[in-house]
Amino acid sequence: MKKRGRSTTTPLPTGPQTKSGLSDRLSMSVKTIQESYVGWDSAIHSNDKANNLCHAIEAIFLHGLKDSFANKISGYWSKKVLAPSFWQMLVKFSHKDVVSQLTHQKQVTTEVGQCRAWIRLALNDSLMGSYLEAMVADRKTMRYFYLDSAYLMDTEQPLIMINIIKGIEELYFQLAYNASALNLWTKTPLILAGHLVPNEPSAVAAHSGECDNTPSGSERLSASQDSPPKVYRIKTAPTGIIDNMKSTSVNQAEAEKSEVSALTLTITELPDREQKEVSQSNPPAGLTPDTA
């Protein structure tokens, strides 16, 4: 067995990112994985480096979602939580056996959890690049879910992402994808994709916790509800157009500490009309507008 290499400690971008910034974040995460595990004969399990990789991919899939998918609010732990979802899009490109596997897991019970589990399973199976190629080739279906300004609708960035992902296809991932902590988004991909902006106090509070490849992950997630909430401002109507947005400064030490944290958003006084989904017209064949 070869020894694991020593990785560099270049800080990862932490604020809202442009499309090229998301590619840079993914590239840095992949480079860290390569430096640590190329030539490594054992499986790569869920850890900080793998979580950073998953967060970068999650942010790319979240970037530029249309409002009816981006503005989802659902109930969890008797709270209101921000739950943007691209699960319906993933279903269109996934084999029925994969969809069945992810929808019948005991620990993963939300669309958010299915999105996050799908990413980890795709990495485990070395199929992420193949999925991306299919998505790039089917712009009609992708346009139903994403704005034209989205990362995955760009003419260049998805191809860059595919080339980056090819750099880790030979590695053996064994990431945990059936864990209750996956049922909520962590704040990192939401911030990177522009759905959540750390800023002034508001009615939105985030609690810490996240899963790893050990049973204690979900236990830490549950215990974290007693921690003092951190306050964020939500981007209530994400447009996906953040190419000209300046990166928001975030304390790096706190960002690294919360890289493995799950996000719970308590939303107060949310008008009922804002919880209604925006109907989409002219969907691809076999696809109906999403409902809450």
Side-chain angles (χ1 to χ4, degrees):
M1 179 183 297
K2 296 183 180 180
K3 293 184 178 180
R4 185 171 57 188
R6 180 175 297 178
S7 62
T8 59
T9 57
T10 304
L12 293 171
T14 56
Q17 298 296 301
T18 62
K19 286 180 281 192
S20 60
L22 289 172
S23 291
D24 291 342
R25 167 85 186 216
L26 176 64
S27 179
M28 294 173 67
S29 299
V30 166
K31 182 179 179 181
T32 300
I33 293 285
Q34 290 173 327
E35 290 175 344
S36 299
Y37 296 107
V38 167
W40 184 248
D41 297 329
S42 299
I44 302 172
H45 296 283
S46 299
N47 55 32
D48 287 354
K49 295 181 180 68
N51 284 333
N52 285 334
L53 172 63
C54 291
H55 292 163
I57 297 173
E58 288 169 353
I60 286 172
F61 278 96
L62 286 168
H63 185 270
L65 277 172
K66 287 187 175 180
D67 285 352
S68 60
F69 304 102
N71 289 342
K72 282 190 170 185
I73 303 294
S74 65
Y76 201 77
W77 291 335
S78 300
K79 300 176 185 293
K80 297 286 187 177
V81 296
L82 180 65
S85 171
F86 45 87
W87 174 245
Q88 288 193 32
M89 182 275 291
L90 297 179
V91 169
K92 300 294 289 185
F93 292 94
S94 302
H95 192 277
K96 62 181 181 180
D97 290 343
V98 172
V99 174
S100 177
Q101 179 182 0
L102 294 178
T103 54
H104 289 87
Q105 294 190 112
K106 293 182 179 180
Q107 298 298 318
V108 176
T109 58
T110 68
E111 280 197 5
V112 170
Q114 290 159 357
C115 291
R116 303 185 70 200
W118 182 93
I119 287 173
R120 286 152 179 79
L121 183 59
L123 290 172
N124 290 352
D125 294 339
S126 298
L127 290 176
M128 182 62 72
S130 297
Y131 281 125
L132 290 169
E133 289 173 349
M135 293 171 187
V136 169
D138 191 353
R139 292 182 63 84
K140 180 179 179 181
T141 295
M142 295 298 286
R143 186 171 285 113
Y144 176 72
F145 298 97
Y146 289 95
L147 300 169
D148 288 340
S149 58
Y151 182 102
L152 292 174
M153 294 298 294
D154 195 81
T155 56
E156 297 180 357
Q157 297 304 321
L159 300 179
I160 294 174
M161 181 182 183
I162 291 171
N163 287 331
I164 294 173
I165 290 296
K166 285 183 178 180
I168 54 173
E169 285 185 342
E170 298 302 319
L171 299 179
Y172 175 37
F173 288 94
Q174 197 171 17
L175 307 180
Y177 61 90
N178 185 18
S180 60
L182 294 177
N183 287 318
L184 299 174
W185 287 115
T186 64
K187 68 173 178 282
T188 299
L190 292 177
I191 291 174
L192 292 174
H195 292 284
L196 187 67
V197 182
N199 205 326
E200 71 275 3
S202 73
V204 182
H207 295 264
S208 301
E210 153 81 333
C211 78
D212 52 23
N213 59 328
T214 66
S216 61
S218 59
E219 294 172 4
R220 288 198 304 273
L221 176 64
S222 178
S224 68
Q225 297 179 66
D226 297 328
S227 303
K230 298 174 185 178
V231 179
Y232 293 84
R233 174 168 59 84
I234 221 171
K235 192 173 181 182
T236 54
T239 63
I241 306 175
I242 61 170
D243 282 347
N244 295 322
M245 182 185 298
K246 294 183 178 179
S247 296
T248 303
S249 177
V250 179
N251 182 276
Q252 181 63 29
E254 180 63 20
E256 290 299 323
K257 179 181 178 182
S258 56
E259 276 296 305
V260 287
S261 65
L263 179 67
T264 303
L265 300 175
T266 305
I267 301 178
T268 61
E269 300 179 356
L270 185 67
D272 291 340
R273 56 188 171 82
E274 292 184 19
Q275 299 185 40
K276 295 181 179 179
E277 299 295 340
V278 180
S279 298
Q280 299 295 320
S281 59
N282 301 320
L287 191 62
T288 57
D290 182 46
T291 58

